Amino acid sequence: MPRLRTALGRLIVCLAVGASAAVGLPAGAATVPDAAPAFTLYDNTAYASAAIGHGAVRANLVPNYTCTPLVAGNALPTEAQWKAIVVAANVNPAAPLVLDCESLYLTGSAANAANHLQRLAQLQSWARAVTGPEQTIGWYGLLGNTAVAHRPLYQQLIQQAGPTAFFPSAYTFSANETSWSSTLTGNLATAAAIAPGVPVYPYVWPQYHQGSSPDSLSLGFVPAAQWSYQLATLHDLGLTGAVVWGGSNTTVCDPACQAAAGSQGWLPQTRSFLDWTGSGADRRTDLALGATATASSVNVTGRDAAKAVDGDPATRWGSQYTDPQWLSLDLGAAHRLTGARLVWETAYGTAYSLQGSLDGSSWTTLHATTTGAGGTELVDLDGTARYVRLLGTARGTGYGYSLWSLNLYGS
């Protein structure tokens, strides 16, 4: 069986399998497979100056600002009214339909949650009558906003839905990449506890959320390096896909924001990610995963060389603040190498090379650059090696070299 690229991916599988025995589930619910399916990035953006393209799939959304007024005061829209809304929103029946009605989250008292479930189920049933039985339908944000006591109600909604998925928020509230990753994996664990086998498509947004910390970040665009880390993590956790939102609401993206969106670093990083995941290569079988790793130096205890190849997107290797520095891997056997991915932390390399060796002493340059820009860098390789060394000769910041992940692909 192909290996999942990350240890966290394996953790989610274990959580899912364990939860299947502990929680009442819809008949026939399957556990998460050991081999992750292909990753799809859905485009739910409306930035006037930025169209993602590059294979992103257009998403379908009935937004909260449409739904919530219709259910205020314990009301429901008419069947005809709701179906017309769904027809207008469902522009791409090949993609999931996401329903967003945030005032009907399964919270509060048992009576309140039961009332919300009844109305969610009715709206979902009417939507299913529009889409037919095969299209995936799911609720935005319900995963992270269902009280533990009300999870059986959510399971009823899932059982009714037919093909369904979870669509939790994975928006960015700070520049702390580790806490973002922790929140995401917490959502995945919750999904596994509610319904193993139901896919999870997190919503991500290339702007910081309102109320971010510090306040200066609020609604600003997420830097390219942080955004590329998020895309890499979403992929590496073995998810089926994710949804990119943004630009749909002038309150959070005014005309100046709209005009600036197309020139921000998130856009080329997204396109590069799509080109990479859509290349047809097996990007989940990482030859470097768990390799024996050594380094020229470590700057802080806990950031040793092995952290770059442990499959955890929230751990990293960090070097001392001098040039040159190196990170060396023993893959255990010779492999034909076709590509590499470097997921840099803020401390990145401007000039570095990737070198290969069969004996660990005689090195051949497989790739070299003097214009490294940090973030996530995707590199083509062509060579056979058992040992691979990253040799950094010029740092991009005053800090050292620091990698969340170094991945190698080939055969």
Side-chain angles (χ1 to χ4, degrees):
M1 293 288 287
R3 292 179 296 173
L4 281 181
R5 211 212 54 79
T6 72
L8 280 175
R10 293 193 185 95
L11 171 62
I12 299 306
V13 171
C14 293
L15 286 167
V17 172
S20 65
V23 182
L25 295 168
T31 56
V32 177
D34 187 53
F39 185 95
T40 300
L41 193 67
Y42 291 96
D43 180 2
N44 201 178
T45 63
Y47 290 117
S49 61
I52 295 175
H54 289 244
V57 177
R58 194 65 194 167
N60 309 298
L61 172 69
V62 176
N64 180 56
Y65 59 76
T66 296
C67 183
T68 287
L70 298 175
V71 299
N74 209 35
L76 274 177
T78 66
E79 180 178 356
Q81 185 180 15
W82 184 250
K83 286 182 175 179
I85 290 169
V86 171
V87 168
N90 200 37
V91 295
N92 181 16
L97 170 66
V98 183
L99 307 174
D100 184 6
C101 212
E102 296 168 31
S103 61
L104 294 182
Y105 286 153
L106 300 175
T107 57
S109 68
N112 182 74
N115 173 277
H116 287 187
L117 172 66
Q118 181 180 25
R119 290 192 282 162
L120 289 169
Q122 183 62 80
L123 294 173
Q124 183 174 277
S125 177
W126 288 339
R128 174 61 72 197
V130 171
T131 66
E134 301 300 326
Q135 187 174 352
T136 296
I137 293 180
W139 291 92
Y140 168 80
L142 198 58
L143 176 65
N145 292 280
T146 294
V148 173
H150 302 325
R151 287 179 181 177
L153 302 183
Y154 199 171
Q155 290 167 350
Q156 292 179 40
L157 198 63
I158 290 169
Q159 188 169 16
Q160 174 202 304
T164 191
F166 295 113
F167 294 92
S169 167
Y171 294 151
T172 311
F173 286 84
S174 76
N176 188 323
E177 294 168 336
T178 301
S179 65
W180 177 89
S181 180
S182 177
T183 299
L184 174 62
T185 54
N187 276 334
L188 298 182
T190 300
I194 293 173
V198 173
V200 182
Y201 296 83
Y203 262 70
V204 288
W205 183 15
Q207 292 174 240
Y208 289 105
H209 200 282
Q210 288 171 294
S212 292
S213 180
D215 290 342
S216 59
L217 297 177
S218 185
L219 299 181
F221 282 93
V222 176
Q226 188 176 2
W227 179 251
S228 66
Y229 169 78
Q230 292 183 12
L231 294 177
T233 301
L234 292 164
H235 173 274
D236 291 354
L237 285 171
L239 299 174
T240 306
V243 187
V244 182
W245 184 85
S248 301
N249 188 331
T250 56
T251 302
V252 296
C253 193
D254 60 18
C257 162
Q258 290 282 352
S263 61
Q264 302 297 311
W266 73 272
L267 186 57
Q269 286 287 353
T270 304
R271 290 170 173 172
S272 178
F273 171 81
L274 284 162
D275 292 343
W276 178 70
T277 55
S279 67
D282 182 359
R283 302 299 192 181
R284 306 239 190 197
T285 302
D286 177 13
L287 300 175
L289 181 62
T292 301
T294 55
S296 54
S297 67
V298 174
N299 64 342
V300 174
T301 300
R303 293 182 186 164
D304 52 284
K307 296 300 191 295
V309 292
D310 64 357
D312 185 343
T315 62
R316 59 188 172 98
W317 165 64
S319 80
Q320 294 290 330
Y321 304 168
T322 59
D323 293 310
Q325 298 289 338
W326 53 263
L327 172 71
S328 184
L329 308 179
D330 178 358
L331 306 182
H335 294 274
R336 183 71 178 179
L337 302 177
T338 59
R341 185 184 69 167
L342 299 91
V343 184
W344 294 100
E345 198 259 347
T346 304
Y348 67 95
T350 299
Y352 66 87
S353 61
L354 287 168
Q355 304 171 329
S357 172
L358 292 172
D359 59 9
S361 59
S362 177
W363 297 92
T364 299
T365 298
L366 305 174
H367 170 80
T369 184
T370 58
T371 58
T376 299
E377 294 189 290
L378 310 172
V379 174
D380 290 327
L381 302 176
D382 184 9
T384 300
R386 170 176 171 169
Y387 303 90
V388 176
R389 182 170 66 182
L390 168 69
L391 177 62
T393 53
R395 290 164 290 136
T397 71
Y399 299 99
Y401 299 85
S402 189
L403 281 169
W404 295 106
S405 300
L406 173 58
N407 318 116
L408 298 171
Y409 307 98
S411 59

